[in-house]
Amino acid sequence: MSIAEQIGSLARSMGITDVGVAAVSAWESDDLVKRMIPENGRPSSLMRGSRSVIVIGMPVQRTILATAPSSYYFEHYKTINSMLDLAAQRIAMELQIIGHASIFVSRDGYQGIEGLRKDASSFFSHRHAAYLAGMGTFGVSNMLLTEKNGPRIRFTSVITTAELPAGAPMKGQLCTSCGRCIEECPENAVASGMYPDNITNKQKCVEYSAVLRTEGRSPCGRCIFVCPVGKDINDHLPSDSAIDRIRSYTR
């Protein structure tokens, strides 16, 4: 069994549904990534001698997302993040065991809401890694859209010296430019036009998340819920009355 097959099997055993690989060299050759990611945010800077970035993903369940913003979605979001971090750490350790220096990059490379208020970015972008691995394309909302789940998926990454078969950015565009994410945003933070020429106002998102956090029901999640891209768009949703009841539970 190849290293890539071993990692794929290990990831699936830990509940990971999506696995991709990006070559570290792609951060230096892709025009979009070179434009948006500073040199000190690239894998070659975070780990000298690295050759590959393994990107793992886990979908957000649209049935739960339908209730957002809610304490239900808040707990779902936290659980996904924890599972991704645990799986990435386990994969990094397995690579270490078989002789390849590896590190995992935590799901959120910032220090909570207060950290985002100071700098609304993270020290490593998993969505750009997923883009380079060929797992999706960027949409109007600046999120990465995938064929299976649209933007309703969370990612984390493992940087390694192992040289693994790598993907490449997808050809074509998954985003339909329907504008539903723009219309749904309660803070009018989503800019009209495609990324990277048009950027979502992250500070508006952060401040709204800060309000929701005091109520125990952040993040907002509305833009990714209404996106029509993804095979999960027909998932069975809760009734309107159930959604209203769930949203009423706040701190």
Side-chain angles (χ1 to χ4, degrees), residues 22-215:
V24 167
S25 59
W27 271 259
E28 313 303 326
S29 60
D30 184 87
D31 290 338
L32 184 153
V33 173
K34 284 197 297 182
R35 172 181 171 184
M36 302 307 296
I37 303 299
E39 287 190 12
N40 61 7
R42 300 174 189 176
S44 58
S45 180
L46 293 174
M47 183 181 183
R48 293 177 180 177
S50 57
R51 295 182 178 182
S52 306
V53 177
I54 301 166
V55 187
I56 60 174
M58 183 176 290
V60 173
Q61 291 181 271
R62 197 165 182 270
T63 302
I64 298 176
L65 182 60
T67 69
S70 67
S71 57
Y72 190 16
Y73 176 49
F74 172 68
E75 295 299 334
H76 180 48
Y77 186 90
K78 283 200 307 179
T79 300
I80 290 173
N81 284 352
S82 295
M83 291 181 69
L84 282 169
D85 282 350
L86 286 170
Q89 173 68 4
R90 178 67 183 85
I91 289 168
M93 288 299 97
E94 187 66 22
L95 286 165
Q96 289 275 156
I97 290 168
I98 61 179
H100 300 282
S102 306
I103 57 170
F104 99 97
V105 184
S106 58
R107 186 20 259 173
D108 292 327
Y110 51 84
Q111 190 59 41
I113 295 296
E114 291 307 315
L116 286 172
R117 280 174 163 161
K118 296 175 184 177
D119 182 357
S121 65
S122 61
F123 67 82
F124 183 78
S125 173
H126 301 294
R127 61 194 176 111
H128 285 86
Y131 157 79
L132 289 174
M135 301 172 80
T137 66
F138 287 100
V140 170
S141 66
N142 299 185
M143 299 297 292
L144 194 82
L145 278 62
T146 65
E147 290 182 320
K148 288 192 297 183
N149 298 99
R152 294 169 292 276
I153 185 168
R154 306 281 290 159
F155 296 106
T156 195
S157 307
V158 175
I159 302 174
T160 179
T161 57
E163 190 161 4
L164 304 172
M170 291 176 62
K171 298 185 183 300
Q173 175 57 257
L174 295 176
C175 179
T176 65
S177 298
C178 66
R180 293 181 66 181
C181 55
I182 299 171
E183 297 167 2
E184 185 72 10
C185 179
E187 295 296 300
N188 297 313
V190 181
S192 177
M194 297 298 292
Y195 178 87
D197 294 320
N198 293 275
I199 306 293
T200 292
N201 189 322
K202 294 181 180 179
Q203 287 305 139
K204 285 186 176 182
C205 287
V206 169
E207 293 307 321
Y208 187 51
S209 290
V211 173
L212 294 175
R213 180 58 61 92
T214 65
E215 301 169 354

